[in-house]
Amino acid sequence: MTHAPRQTALDALHRSLGATMTDFAGWDMPLRYGSERDEHLAVRTGAGLFDLSHMGEITVTGPQAAALLNYALVGNIGSVGVGRARYTMICREDGGILDDLIVYRLGETEYMVVANASNAQTVLDALTGRAAGFDAEVRDDRDAYALLAVQGPASPGILASLTDADLDGLKYYAGLPGTVAGVPALIARTGYTGEDGFELFVEPRYAEELWRALTEAGREAGLVPCGLSCRDTLRLEAGMPLYGNELTTALTPFDAGLGRVVKFEKEGDFVGRAALEKAAEQARTAPPRVLVGLIAEGRRVPRAGYDVVAGSTVIGTVTSGAPSPTLGKPIAMAYVDQAHAAPGTEGVTVDIRGAQEAYQVVALPFYKRQK
């Protein structure tokens, strides 16, 4: 039995704007409104407006909410200040990554965990199971929020015209309650594009009103509606991992080069600790494949799953690939053997349908915004 994709509160608006829609993680989502390249470049130079209401919000409350999250996740959530956020992961007992997450501390005993759409139910089930014995409640709040994102160098100015919240004092990975165009919102300085920007959590009934207000406020700054397609090329240029591509249950955070999110120094045990301690030691002594950037010398675009080759030996696998509108060349992220991971390594190719296409190994990210 197949279920019809879920629709966000902005579904009718997307269709009225001529969006090309796609089923993504069980949701009907806008892929693009016009040119993916134009949407991408608008975020790099001005601003883009995204509907991210497919993301999974899970609220954890109670006297032992922090203790539960410290046990359930690999990060030290107890050290997150009220109004701040932290990037972290939830792992299996064997250290495999179930999802990467952002956790917002909304109050002394209240946290919001934001999971990827494709993993929201998995994360909810894991947190619920791991809550046994803790004086804390795990609540599925996916229907309680719509999520809009304004990303790009013009985004602070656009948002400032609609709110009296202290945006200048709002640091990266922080959030504060406020109103935007009269709509109550959690205003977070987070994003997945490599640019400055904000994510706005609001009740679904306010989503269309807020979208229209942001569109109007951003008109002169070049703000355009943006779909999931350009979100993917933006995050790829910024070297940001995507679950299902760079992150999977077959990999630990150390395999993904993100061991820094695992906090062994926090008090008490946490799920996956023993396996992750072994993975950390292996990464120090005999690292597995390393996540690197690849820039094409030609025009052919590598895709996830393509082999990376040196000589006649397969040395790795492409995890994400796309044309880069900013660089004007195809780019990719790939896991490759340590011996071929250094930036500038010569003689690396990608097998694209039987043809060996030359690629340059570079350090990630491909793109960094000017501060």
Side-chain angles (χ1 to χ4, degrees):
M1 177 179 170
T2 57
H3 295 279
R6 296 177 70 180
Q7 296 180 339
T8 78
L10 293 164
D11 186 79
L13 191 147
H14 296 317
R15 293 172 193 279
S16 76
L17 293 172
T20 299
M21 306 295 287
T22 187
D23 182 346
F24 181 81
W27 289 81
D28 222 0
M29 297 297 293
L31 190 63
R32 71 182 75 82
Y33 298 85
S35 155
E36 295 165 14
R37 183 176 179 278
D38 289 350
E39 291 171 25
H40 179 112
L41 293 175
V43 176
R44 289 278 180 255
T45 59
L49 178 58
F50 297 82
D51 178 11
L52 305 180
S53 302
H54 61 313
M55 300 295 280
E57 295 87 5
I58 301 161
T59 303
V60 180
T61 56
Q64 290 189 299
L68 162 60
L69 290 170
N70 266 359
Y71 168 71
L73 311 179
V74 301
N76 187 355
I77 308 305
S79 68
V80 178
V82 174
R84 298 308 302 266
R86 183 155 297 164
Y87 176 79
T88 187
M89 295 184 184
I90 182 167
C91 290
R92 302 192 306 192
E93 199 67 67
D94 67 1
I97 302 166
L98 282 173
D99 201 15
D100 61 335
L101 313 164
I102 296 180
V103 180
Y104 296 88
R105 187 173 186 180
L106 304 181
E108 279 301 318
T109 60
E110 183 179 7
Y111 296 81
M112 181 169 67
V113 177
V114 181
N116 285 296
S118 56
N119 295 328
Q121 190 64 48
T122 299
V123 174
L124 177 67
D125 292 345
L127 287 174
T128 302
R130 294 173 190 188
F134 289 94
D135 186 4
E137 179 195 353
V138 177
R139 187 173 72 234
D140 180 0
D141 269 349
R142 282 176 287 180
D143 291 335
Y145 292 102
L147 177 57
L148 279 64
V150 190
Q151 299 281 303
S155 57
I158 293 167
L159 204 57
S161 72
L162 296 173
T163 183
D164 56 7
D166 178 17
L167 299 183
D168 288 341
L170 187 63
K171 295 183 173 69
Y172 188 50
Y173 267 72
L176 83 172
T179 59
V180 181
V183 171
L186 172 66
I187 305 167
R189 199 162 206 152
T190 44
Y192 195 50
T193 63
E195 298 296 341
D196 193 7
F198 301 88
E199 295 183 325
L200 308 171
F201 295 85
V202 300
E203 290 182 45
R205 62 188 170 132
Y206 295 129
E208 188 168 329
E209 177 186 342
L210 182 56
W211 179 282
R212 293 188 187 282
L214 289 163
T215 299
E216 187 58 38
R219 199 176 303 281
E220 288 186 17
L223 178 140
V224 301
C226 292
L228 293 181
S229 187
C230 85
R231 189 168 182 252
D232 191 49
T233 53
L234 289 160
R235 72 90 196 167
L236 177 55
E237 286 184 352
M240 294 176 166
L242 175 65
Y243 195 89
N245 292 49
E246 288 73 40
L247 309 175
T248 70
T249 51
L251 298 169
T252 72
F254 294 94
D255 295 327
L258 292 166
R260 64 181 180 277
V261 306
V262 182
K263 303 301 182 187
F264 293 119
E265 69 274 15
K266 64 180 174 177
E267 284 183 29
D269 195 17
F270 61 90
V271 176
R273 179 173 196 135
L276 289 169
E277 284 174 341
K278 288 181 184 169
E281 183 57 32
Q282 184 186 1
R284 275 194 296 271
T285 55
R289 287 179 167 176
V290 178
L291 188 63
V292 301
L294 299 174
I295 297 180
E297 294 182 13
R299 308 304 303 172
R300 298 187 73 186
V301 179
R303 299 297 182 191
Y306 287 7
D307 287 339
V308 184
V309 179
S312 57
T313 305
V314 175
I315 58 156
T317 306
V318 171
T319 53
S320 296
S324 164
T326 305
L327 301 184
K329 297 178 179 179
I331 59 172
M333 287 200 278
Y335 282 107
V336 302
D337 293 346
Q338 177 79 19
H340 299 274
T345 299
E346 303 279 331
V348 171
T349 63
V350 175
D351 187 332
I352 301 181
R353 298 191 184 91
Q356 299 302 319
E357 299 287 335
Y359 275 77
Q360 179 188 357
V361 178
V362 299
L364 293 169
F366 301 97
Y367 168 84
K368 273 187 184 169
R369 68 183 170 97
Q370 302 299 310
K371 299 289 183 186

